[in-house]
Amino acid sequence: MRKLLNTLYVQHPNYYLSLEQEAVVISKDRVTMAKFPLLNFESIVTSSQVSISPYLLEACMERGISVSYLDRNGKFLARVSGKNIGNVLLRKSQYRYSDDKTVSNQIAKYMILGKTYNQRWLLDRYCRDHPLSIDLDSVKKCCGNLQAAYPRIRECADLDILRGIEGELAQQYFGVFDSLILKNNDFFAFKKRTRRPPLDPVNSVMSYLYTILYHESASALSCVGLDPYVGFLHRDRSGRMSLALDLMEELRAPLVDRLTLSLINRGQLQAKHFEKQAAGAVLITDMGRKIIIEAWQQRKQELVMHPFLENKIEWGTVLYAQALLLARYIRGDLDDYPPILYKN
């Protein structure tokens, strides 16, 4: 369980939430684990395996406190709310912001700044930890190029130019990514980013994890009342959750790319966990997916210092923190959207 801003997150299975004198009581096997004043919250996010008393649910509806349900994998299932119309106003503001390219650029550039900063952090960490095992000069040069791009991103006033900068930096970042593969790099050779379909094992793992991150981003946005289909960097496209793609940008490197490298470099993923199709696509076996999912769930439980909140939170709640901060910016409570800049 975790109290994050004005949201209570309860994901542990078999917990029971009840109401006691205007307080939320969290218990397990009739033993009280925690108690919080109900008036502290504007929403509760919980797993479908967590039970909520009808009296607490009624109290939440009367006070305009939304309750969101996620499945065991973190996928959004439903959101229950009372008569509060705040989400309608929030979404109307979101749609107006999305239609305004100047405002969209203001939000998008901070997301890209966070993405670029975190890419540089990952490369810099490999320079520090494995200087003799990587192409140190090339990786350091890329770190310098990414860092030099910070002012360009901050000062960019055009959304199309911003996308061009992001694409250029991504190409440089993935241009040295193969150097970070330290084990079995003949099988796990990485030449370039390929998506549909992934043409090598590294791209296959990254695409699989990006898909998980994409759906968890959508869940976080839905929980705070934002429309995951209406984005700022990624524009509207039928069937695409554009805002989920926006939100996940700054977490690609510290969550997905880092985990992909860890799984390979620690030998957890091997050649037997992949299958190559006749058309060239490389797929992950059932056993490979099991290894990836277990590692993903473990990574989500690790603590990270959130620079804006100045508090340690689990990686699994970072998306919800960023979704809440984005909602607060759209409401006008924050001057700018604060991306997460990872430091470790």
Side-chain angles (χ1 to χ4, degrees):
M1 76 195 78
R2 176 168 291 276
K3 181 179 178 292
L4 180 63
L5 298 176
N6 298 111
T7 300
L8 176 64
Y9 293 88
V10 184
Q11 299 296 303
H12 196 287
N14 304 319
Y15 273 16
Y16 182 69
L17 276 61
S18 58
L19 181 68
E20 181 182 301
Q21 297 180 349
E22 296 299 309
V24 182
V25 179
I26 304 171
S27 58
K28 182 180 180 182
D29 299 328
R30 300 192 177 187
V31 176
T32 298
M33 311 298 292
K35 184 184 293 187
F36 302 101
L38 186 59
L39 59 83
N40 284 358
F41 304 112
E42 61 183 31
S43 63
I44 296 174
V45 178
T46 182
S47 164
S48 57
Q49 297 174 290
V50 174
S51 300
I52 301 180
S53 77
Y55 298 106
L56 174 59
L57 195 59
E58 180 182 358
C60 289
M61 298 306 99
E62 289 176 349
R63 293 160 178 77
I65 300 171
S66 66
V67 179
S68 297
Y69 295 90
L70 312 179
D71 70 8
R72 66 183 62 191
N73 295 318
K75 183 179 179 181
F76 178 77
L77 294 175
R79 188 171 190 268
V80 183
S81 58
K83 299 178 181 180
N84 193 331
I85 61 171
N87 292 329
V88 175
L89 299 178
L90 174 63
R91 289 198 176 201
K92 288 180 73 174
S93 295
Q94 177 190 352
Y95 300 149
R96 286 196 299 269
Y97 281 16
S98 180
D99 288 337
D100 188 327
K101 286 194 172 183
T102 300
V103 179
S104 290
N105 179 76
Q106 183 68 14
I107 299 171
K109 70 180 182 180
Y110 282 107
M111 292 175 168
I112 296 304
L113 183 64
K115 177 181 182 178
T116 305
Y117 181 96
N118 293 332
Q119 287 175 332
R120 188 198 63 79
W121 164 83
L122 180 61
L123 298 181
D124 190 59
R125 176 161 184 159
Y126 270 77
C127 289
R128 183 186 68 200
D129 295 347
H130 307 282
L132 302 179
S133 303
I134 66 173
D135 184 349
L136 190 61
D137 290 340
S138 296
V139 177
K140 278 193 170 184
K141 181 180 178 181
C142 186
C143 283
N145 292 341
L146 293 175
Q147 187 169 12
Y150 297 167
R152 290 172 61 200
I153 296 170
R154 289 193 186 95
E155 296 165 9
C156 183
D158 184 275
L159 200 54
D160 292 329
I161 294 175
L162 180 65
R163 292 194 193 97
I165 295 172
E166 186 273 335
E168 171 195 329
L169 296 176
Q171 188 174 17
Q172 293 185 48
Y173 169 75
F174 285 118
V176 299
F177 199 79
D178 184 66
S179 180
L180 310 184
I181 298 170
L182 310 178
K183 190 169 185 177
N184 198 7
N185 50 11
D186 289 335
F187 180 78
F188 288 106
F190 179 89
K191 295 181 179 179
K192 64 178 181 178
R193 181 78 180 105
T194 57
R195 298 171 176 82
R196 291 181 291 271
L199 300 178
D200 60 65
V202 180
N203 272 294
S204 186
V205 176
M206 292 173 73
S207 291
Y208 183 60
L209 285 170
Y210 283 149
T211 299
I212 295 173
L213 183 62
Y214 170 66
H215 287 290
E216 293 197 7
S217 298
S219 293
L221 293 164
S222 296
C223 287
V224 303
L226 289 168
D227 187 340
Y229 286 88
V230 180
F232 304 108
L233 175 67
H234 296 86
R235 309 311 290 171
D236 297 347
R237 182 186 298 175
S238 179
R240 183 176 76 176
M241 294 186 287
S242 297
L243 189 57
L245 289 172
D246 289 356
L247 188 68
M248 65 185 277
E249 288 291 0
E250 57 208 77
L251 293 176
R252 287 177 181 265
L255 269 181
V256 171
D257 301 353
R258 181 187 178 194
L259 181 57
T260 298
L261 291 167
S262 295
L263 287 167
I264 294 170
N265 291 336
R266 291 174 182 171
Q268 292 171 266
L269 287 177
Q270 301 171 19
K272 65 182 179 181
H273 298 125
F274 299 89
E275 297 175 349
K276 188 166 185 178
Q277 303 295 297
V282 175
L283 305 181
I284 309 169
T285 65
D286 290 342
M287 180 55 70
R289 284 194 295 271
K290 181 180 178 182
I291 292 170
I292 294 169
I293 287 295
E294 288 177 352
W296 174 259
Q297 297 297 348
Q298 291 173 6
R299 181 59 55 87
K300 285 169 60 179
Q301 295 173 19
E302 294 178 6
L303 292 174
V304 57
M305 174 61 72
H306 196 291
F308 183 83
L309 301 178
E310 297 181 341
N311 187 25
K312 283 191 174 183
I313 62 175
E314 296 89 353
W315 271 114
T317 58
V318 168
L319 282 169
Y320 296 95
Q322 295 309 116
L324 281 166
L325 293 170
L326 179 59
R328 289 191 168 192
Y329 170 74
I330 292 173
R331 287 196 196 107
D333 298 334
L334 296 174
D335 293 334
D336 287 303
Y337 165 72
I340 181 164
L341 307 177
Y342 185 46
K343 298 178 181 180
N344 185 10

